[in-house]
Amino acid sequence: MNIAARLRPIVGERNCITDPTELRTYEADGLTGYRVRPAIVVLPASTEEVAACIRLAREAGMPVVPRGSGTGLSGGALPNEGCLVIGLSRMNKILGVDVPNMRMSVQPGVINLAISAHLAPLGYYYAPDPSSQGVCSIGGNVAENSGGAHCLKYGFTTNHVVAVKIVLEDGSVVDVGAEHGDPLGYDLMKAIVGSEGMLGIVTEVVVRILRKPQSTRTLFATFPTTDEAGDAVSQIIAAGIVPAAIEMCDTLAIEAIVAATGVDWPLDVGAVLLMDVDGVEAEAAHTAAEAERIARASGALEIRTPRDAAERDLMWKGRKSAFAAVGRLSPDYYVGDGVVPRRAIGPALREIAELASREGVRVANVFHAGDGNLHPLVLYDARKPGESQRAEHVSGEILRICIRYGGSITGEHGVGHDKAFYMGEMFGEDDLETMNRVRCAFDPERIFNPAKVFPTPRLCGDRPGTYVPHATEKEGVAGRG
Ligand SMILES: Cc1cc2nc3c(=O)[nH]c(=O)nc-3n(C[C@H](O)[C@H](O)[C@H](O)COP(=O)(O)OP(=O)(O)OC[C@H]3O[C@@H](n4cnc5c(N)ncnc54)[C@H](O)[C@@H]3O)c2cc1C
């Protein structure tokens, strides 16, 4: 019996997809430049179904690619040839809310924003807020250790996920972390969060929930160039103020945002900063006044505070729609994700602008400035010969700029398929080998998301140095591509 015929009784006829046209839905994630049609997609509804599908895939020697909402921007959910995609979108139930202990349990397909929407009547929320939060899943957030505007003060996903249920490569189900208190032994949660779907499939997530702050003050400030704006960010944080969020957009990004959302942001400035400070009323008022004073001293041209909640929401809508808004300026664009130390924001952006002008491309910048997490959007037109290659080249050079400044090739979008090549530029052989050993402790056969993150196909037990064929290669079970 073929594998699809064996998967159907597990997930149900409708939830086992083999039709080539329907499979096209799953051939890419948010990084649509790469497309591979999977062999089969299953949409299980429970941990048991996920485990049974993994066991069958393993038996059939099929790679397994976990998939949440497919909004990832690094090709993390990009299928491999002949793979089984396990989509978690049907596992979208809220399992429980424990307000006294500030915990909430959810299935992995629950949409990020649905958590806060569910908690809103109780005065609570879930802090990590990727700009894609209206569509991305919590399972995808766990796999990518997703960030967002308000992660500057509150921390990334890793600071808010306390326990998970995960199905391993042999179909066994394990609970990791601790719902309450510190877990005993090694902190495996830190290995799982950010593991990009390479250690197993997360089927339940327990998150920390927070009380909504009593007061939030929003500041919108314009600057002549990104240098002054970058300086303001460094000075504000150096003064001991940790804003809940501090986001920057440059001129090109402002142009796109104004065109797409109708916000009345000035078009003749070099940068805007959008900042939230929060806390109890007196604290928020004091820190907002301090942040405003520092922004002015750093060269702010104009500072606005929203008149009411509706105007504040509009300002944030402007920022959060920025990626999509750039579609107004260019038919295609490549979303970058690198990190530089905060103090290097100004110089790094200048280098990026020089690079862009040398290469004859336009780059819009809209990013989490407080974390130094840049998102250069490299504009191109895929219909014009050579443009997509040039955009890819510029994006790669931008990552090299980040590495040179002592930053990183990813702040929050992960390495996935897209940036695996650059791992070798950021890490030495020993580092990669250590990471590979952690991966192989969970998934020795590399069933999950093979060919992601690591720069070359790397087998469990590989040693750095002179090439020695792996046992599985000698047996003809695996090969080096
Ligand atoms: C417009 C836009 C704005 C964005 N803004 C942000 C932002 O501000 N911050 C940010 O961090 N990201 C952002 N992203 C990127 C993306 O939304 C996040 O990476 C998100 O966490 C992906 O979630 P997903 O459900 O779409 O996962 P997918 O794209 O489906 O998968 C992402 C990775 O997770 C793995 N995976 C998915 N579910 C599971 C599971 N249950 N168990 C194990 N592995 C799993 C996949 O194999 C893949 O490697 C943005 C994307 C877009 C399109």
Side-chain angles (χ1 to χ4, degrees), residues 135-202:
V135 275
C136 66
S137 73
I138 191 74
N141 293 176
V142 170
E144 298 290 4
N145 187 20
S146 295
H150 291 80
C151 292
L152 172 62
K153 179 170 179 181
Y154 293 100
F156 279 52
T157 301
T158 188
N159 301 106
H160 299 271
V161 172
V162 297
V164 294
K165 192 181 282 301
I166 183 166
V167 187
L168 302 177
E169 47 88 40
D170 60 354
S172 56
V173 179
V174 292
D175 291 299
V176 180
E179 206 166 326
H180 309 290
D182 276 337
L184 287 173
Y186 293 111
D187 188 354
L188 296 179
M189 282 305 303
K190 292 284 186 259
I192 289 169
V193 178
S195 60
E196 303 200 25
M198 296 171 76
L199 303 188
I201 296 196
V202 171

Side-chain angles (χ1 to χ4, degrees), residues 29-30 65-73 76-77 88 108 129-132 135-149 196-198 200-203 319 323-324 368 375 412-413 449 452:
D29 63 2
V65 174
R67 182 180 174 103
S69 302
T71 66
L73 291 169
L88 285 312
D129 60 340
S131 301
S132 52
V135 275
C136 66
S137 73
I138 191 74
N141 293 176
V142 170
E144 298 290 4
N145 187 20
S146 295
E196 303 200 25
M198 296 171 76
I201 296 196
V202 171
T203 58
R319 161 58 188 99
F323 285 8
H368 309 311
H375 289 318
E412 55 183 15
H413 296 169
N449 256 344
K452 308 272 169 68

Side-chain angles (χ1 to χ4, degrees), residues 127-345:
D129 60 340
S131 301
S132 52
Q133 67 183 150
V135 275
C136 66
S137 73
I138 191 74
N141 293 176
V142 170
E144 298 290 4
N145 187 20
S146 295
H150 291 80
C151 292
L152 172 62
K153 179 170 179 181
Y154 293 100
F156 279 52
T157 301
T158 188
N159 301 106
H160 299 271
V161 172
V162 297
V164 294
K165 192 181 282 301
I166 183 166
V167 187
L168 302 177
E169 47 88 40
D170 60 354
S172 56
V173 179
V174 292
D175 291 299
V176 180
E179 206 166 326
H180 309 290
D182 276 337
L184 287 173
Y186 293 111
D187 188 354
L188 296 179
M189 282 305 303
K190 292 284 186 259
I192 289 169
V193 178
S195 60
E196 303 200 25
M198 296 171 76
L199 303 188
I201 296 196
V202 171
T203 58
E204 280 181 31
V205 185
V206 183
V207 298
R208 195 189 302 279
I209 59 175
L210 300 180
R211 251 192 106 75
K212 278 190 192 161
Q214 190 187 67
S215 168
T216 300
R217 300 282 180 115
T218 301
L219 295 178
F220 170 91
T222 63
F223 295 84
T225 73
T226 49
D227 275 333
E228 290 87 358
D231 182 54
V233 173
S234 292
Q235 298 295 336
I236 287 167
I237 296 175
I241 296 171
V242 184
I246 182 161
E247 302 281 298
M248 194 191 298
C249 308
D250 71 2
T251 312
L252 202 50
I254 298 167
E255 186 187 326
I257 291 168
V258 169
T261 63
V263 290
D264 62 344
W265 296 2
L267 295 169
D268 57 351
V269 297
V272 302
L273 286 184
L274 184 60
M275 188 178 358
D276 270 355
V277 293
D278 64 15
V280 292
E281 178 58 40
E283 180 196 354
H286 171 75
T287 43
E290 247 331 78
E292 182 171 340
R293 185 188 63 72
I294 296 168
R296 286 196 196 283
S298 299
L301 300 167
E302 181 199 2
I303 296 190
R304 296 184 197 171
T305 50
R307 279 182 301 272
D308 50 28
E311 192 178 349
R312 172 178 186 267
D313 289 350
L314 190 61
M315 285 177 172
W316 274 107
K317 186 178 165 211
R319 161 58 188 99
K320 296 221 168 188
S321 336
F323 285 8
V326 168
R328 300 271 176 142
L329 304 183
S330 171
D332 303 286
Y333 58 93
Y334 190 97
V335 182
D337 167 46
V339 179
V340 294
R342 244 185 330 258
R343 62 177 155 66
I345 289 175

